[in-house]
Amino acid sequence: MSFFFEVLIGGLLSGVMYSLVALGFVLIYKASGVFNFAQGSMVFFAALTFVGILEHGVNFWLALPATLAVMVVLGLAIERVVLRPLVNQPQITLFMATIGLSFFLEGLAQMLWGANVRGLDLGLQDEPLQAIADATGINVSKFDLVAAGIAALLVSSLALFFSHTRIGRALRAVADDHQAALAVGIPLQQIWAIVWGVAGFVALVTGLLWGARNGVQFALTFVALKALPVLILGGFESVPGAIVGGLIVGASEKLAEVYLGPYVGGGIEGWFPYVLALAFLLIRPEGLFGEKIIRRV
Amino acid sequence: MTRPIGDVVLALESISLSFGGVKALTDISFDVREHEVRAIIGPNGAGKSSMLNVINGVYRPQQGTITFRGKPRRDMNTHDAAAQGIARTFQNIALFRGMSVLDNIMTGRNLRMKATFLEQAIWWGRARNEELEHRRKVEEVIDFLEIQHIRRTPVGRLPYGLQKRVELARALAAEPSMLLLDEPMAGMNVEEKQDMCRFVLDVNEQYGTTIVLIEHDMGVVMDISDRVVVLDYGRKIGDGTPDEVRGSQAVIDAYLGVAH
Amino acid sequence: MLYREAGQFKTHYAADSAILPIRQDRIAMAALLVVAFVAVPLLASPYLFSAILIPCLILALAALGLNLLTGFAGQLSLGAAAFMAVGAFASYNFVLRVPGIPLLAAFACGGLMAAAVGIVFGLPSLRIRGFYLAVATLAAQFFIIWCLTKFGWFTNYSSSGVITAQKLVILGYTFDTPRAKYLLVLGIVAVMALAAKNMTRGNVGRQWMAVRDMDVAAEVIGIRPMRAKLLAFAVSSFYCGVAGALYAYAYLGTVEPEAYSLDLSLRILFMIIIGGVGTILGAFLGSAFIVILPIVLNMLVGFLDNTLHLNVASSVASNLELMVFGGLIIFFLIVEPHGLARLWQIAKEKLRLWPFPH
């Protein structure tokens, strides 16, 4: 029984990682209506830049703000070069532009910092927390707990930001209708710059945590794809939804792999979340937290 | 030559429709006779478009019966409605923006095209002949509505008035026995309105099509309709010939702006 | 001056709805076919066949399939490569297990299997739209490749998971030279492209476009969106399936799941974006562009390396390719979202007036 809990908790905690990636998606979607396929590449870029800066002998605590600055500049550049010319184009066009963007960022990151796999040491060990292990016999990684804590902090502050500030409201207006927002005088460019900057910050945090866990490598970009089922379960526009979705995907994926995997030769993790999301969509096309779309004729 | 108005072809009894908590239609009953021009009027938000949507099958009423051609039913199925000869236009133009005018009108002939996709892929025999025969019919409609010059133009590029005409053409291409028009003259100037009126009357006279029409312009309504239904806040407040309705106190109150 | 239509009046609807109504276009097309079927086989080198022409044609066929689904019917799909894989493996198994089956029939059966799978994974489209549908197709992509890798029956229990495709033999003639393979592929692609063009200008094409543009209105005029969407998935997957079989038999020489990864699906999607969504020509233009681009880039990097002695690492070339790819996608979407096909149309419009300015 405790094995089950171990797998479950391990799954939930890895789900936290998915939530972080999904969070980046939700931020950008909520604020600009753009589905940013390049989020995974941004995570990869952030992690790789951080490690690259470290390798040049820069102190850990200096490298962090430096990378953050790079991500913010990157966000501004994306807004200026990619989004501004595409204002008011249909969603599908913007989506495809972000696919192109993801390829571009991957190539750029590897060109700047090389393609070797690197480790990332955050000073946290991936060992079981002794106290909990002694009390309940379940092994819970210290690393995972800290990651969960950071994610919780990030999520709650972002949720508050969106619902309680003036800028948050402006962001939601922009997501609904670019032109209308412009017409009311919302400074579109500034808003987008802010949003992509914040998304860059989230990407950095995600990149650091993922990189420390699995090493900084190209496969990191595929993490973004895993975030899609998370978004479907949680809805594209909901910050709490991203968390719930991430937890569900993480837990179910691990449980399926452990308990169903042996019957079919393993490797279920690769597609299980997608099929789960698909099944879910058939019942509730808007996701758990999404809003029902009513179409007037 | 106006055809004599025939028997009741569509009868609506006690139709009630609500969306969540909002009651769009409450206990509406009226009928439509063959070959007539029936107008539905009322202030904004009265439920006129919802009424058409019920007739056409886009909305399913919670209560009431629809009797079309003698067959009573709880609600209409959109595909059935089209197959039985009901065509319509929409308030916010529902044309297919990626296609040309000609293609849009050809879609109106969809139900009459029997060739399978395989036959179309080979473009021989039945598929080819069908396509050419229906093209001929569509060209008749294009001539009728005088839109020859914009045949190949993508619909998205046309001005509003012409788009409305194309939408009417698409509805006419189906050779309907009943035509539902949702504010066909909205946003048009006097000249365009006259043209549109002429088209609507021509359709009614030449083809005998029954017309159910939502319209705000009182002049148009009084001029061309045979009978009028008046809705207000989802209820029927008047039903009869234009003169009868014009004289009714309830209608005057609702429409001429007396607070109620 | 050369491209004037003056004097070309149509007296029948048949003439007006022809695929190439302008005489100059017909002459150009005839010339193109002569070049493709006669001149190229005589003049081109084996490298040109194997590295450029054959993959270009095969991927154009797949892009055509995807364009029917995404461009004409409006159902976004990220799983084109998975349906190619189904076609390839199905063809392989038909040839393996049905003795004496003609090769073209095996390809067709492979396509039909892909169509059947396409319908199954297209069922969600009846409830789901837009990005959500894209995720459903991703499920198809990952699940199908996993199936083909895991279950040995598909690969005839080969230990490495990679199987050699059987020889291309039709009516006793073996297609084993690059030239022969090119002609076979060209023939199949030309016929299927014509069929696709006919479908898109006929009623089924209009139904698809109607469902794409506004499915509520489509329903009101009597189109059944459900049938139209499932038909789109079926036909599109058939095209992808045949393309997949050709990819294995006439290009790679092997049948392996890894060749049909998400990467290939995205490449095919890029082909239709750059080529022109919702056009037949776009599939070919996009395919040519995406196949030739890496080769051009490699040549460019090699040239810079030699003349400027930059000593560029090979990884730089591939990263540069990624960047240029991504950059070009963005560029095209900003400048001409309707792709190369629209640019071609604009060029023809200008050609009509040439040498006059207006």
Side-chain angles (χ1 to χ4, degrees), chain C residues 190-219:
Chain C
V191 167
M192 288 181 78
L194 182 61
K197 182 70 183 170
N198 281 334
M199 276 193 281
T200 55
R201 68 177 169 137
N203 193 36
V204 66
R206 282 192 296 265
Q207 285 188 347
W208 285 340
M209 290 194 274
V211 166
R212 172 194 71 192
D213 287 340
M214 197 181 284
D215 54 355
V216 182
E219 221 175 332

Side-chain angles (χ1 to χ4, degrees), chain C residues 178-247:
Chain C
R179 171 176 304 136
K181 288 184 189 173
Y182 162 76
L183 282 170
L184 176 65
V185 169
L186 181 64
I188 296 179
V189 171
V191 167
M192 288 181 78
L194 182 61
K197 182 70 183 170
N198 281 334
M199 276 193 281
T200 55
R201 68 177 169 137
N203 193 36
V204 66
R206 282 192 296 265
Q207 285 188 347
W208 285 340
M209 290 194 274
V211 166
R212 172 194 71 192
D213 287 340
M214 197 181 284
D215 54 355
V216 182
E219 221 175 332
V220 165
I221 56 178
I223 295 174
R224 291 192 202 266
M226 178 181 77
R227 285 197 202 166
K229 287 183 192 179
L230 288 180
L231 184 63
F233 269 98
V235 173
S236 162
S237 306
F238 179 81
Y239 273 68
C240 287
V242 173
L246 286 174
Y247 198 62

Side-chain angles (χ1 to χ4, degrees), chain A:
Chain A
M1 202 49 192
S2 68
F3 177 64
F4 171 78
F5 276 113
E6 233 172 65
V7 175
L8 177 65
I9 294 182
L12 284 173
L13 291 173
S14 80
V16 163
M17 302 292 227
Y18 291 139
S19 303
L20 281 176
V21 185
L23 198 57
F25 274 113
V26 167
L27 271 180
I28 296 186
Y29 190 80
K30 238 173 128 68
S32 56
V34 175
F35 185 80
N36 181 22
F37 193 84
Q39 191 68 20
S41 314
M42 282 167 66
V43 168
F44 177 59
F45 191 86
L48 204 51
T49 307
F50 182 73
V51 165
I53 293 181
L54 274 185
E55 274 180 359
H56 277 76
V58 178
N59 175 287
F60 181 96
W61 295 107
L62 270 181
L64 256 165
T67 317
L68 181 61
V70 169
M71 291 310 291
V72 170
V73 167
L74 181 69
L76 292 174
I78 292 175
E79 187 276 316
R80 184 77 187 71
V81 172
V82 178
L83 288 190
R84 211 180 290 191
L86 290 174
V87 160
N88 227 48
Q89 290 287 345
Q91 268 195 330
I92 210 83
T93 310
L94 289 161
F95 173 62
M96 303 211 261
T98 60
I99 300 185
L101 183 62
S102 76
F103 273 61
F104 184 83
L105 286 178
E106 281 158 26
L108 183 63
Q110 287 182 139
M111 188 127 97
L112 287 177
W113 304 109
N116 318 329
V117 178
R118 293 162 233 236
L120 179 60
D121 185 8
L122 287 179
L124 292 167
Q125 311 305 42
D126 194 9
E127 304 164 340
L129 191 55
Q130 224 29 52
I132 299 187
D134 290 337
T136 54
I138 301 177
N139 291 322
V140 179
S141 157
K142 268 191 250 177
F143 181 88
D144 285 345
L145 281 173
V146 173
I150 295 179
L153 187 62
L154 204 55
V155 165
S156 30
S157 36
L158 281 172
L160 282 172
F161 175 71
F162 269 105
S163 45
H164 285 86
T165 64
R166 199 177 47 126
I167 296 187
R169 194 163 44 234
L171 287 174
R172 283 184 283 146
V174 165
D176 238 0
D177 190 332
H178 301 175
Q179 283 218 318
L182 272 174
V184 219
I186 294 180
L188 208 59
Q189 274 79 36
Q190 281 177 27
I191 297 284
W192 279 356
I194 294 176
V195 170
W196 282 79
V198 174
F201 173 66
V202 172
L204 175 59
V205 172
T206 314
L208 291 178
L209 289 173
W210 266 109
R213 204 159 200 270
N214 301 331
V216 179
Q217 51 178 313
F218 186 69
L220 213 48
T221 53
F222 293 114
V223 162
L225 292 176
K226 270 294 173 59
L228 289 176
V230 172
L231 288 167
I232 289 182
L233 289 174
F236 280 69
E237 300 198 21
S238 161
V239 169
I243 306 307
V244 175
L247 293 176
I248 295 178
V249 167
S252 60
E253 176 183 81
K254 285 286 182 303
L255 287 171
E257 183 64 42
V258 169
Y259 288 102
L260 293 176
Y263 292 111
V264 280
I268 291 192
E269 281 185 329
W271 53 264
F272 190 79
Y274 292 96
V275 174
L276 183 69
L278 180 57
F280 196 81
L281 274 179
L282 292 172
I283 309 169
R284 217 188 128 82
E286 312 84 33
L288 263 175
F289 291 77
E291 291 175 7
K292 241 184 150 62
I293 309 163
I294 303 176
R295 286 177 299 153
R296 263 206 85 155
V297 181

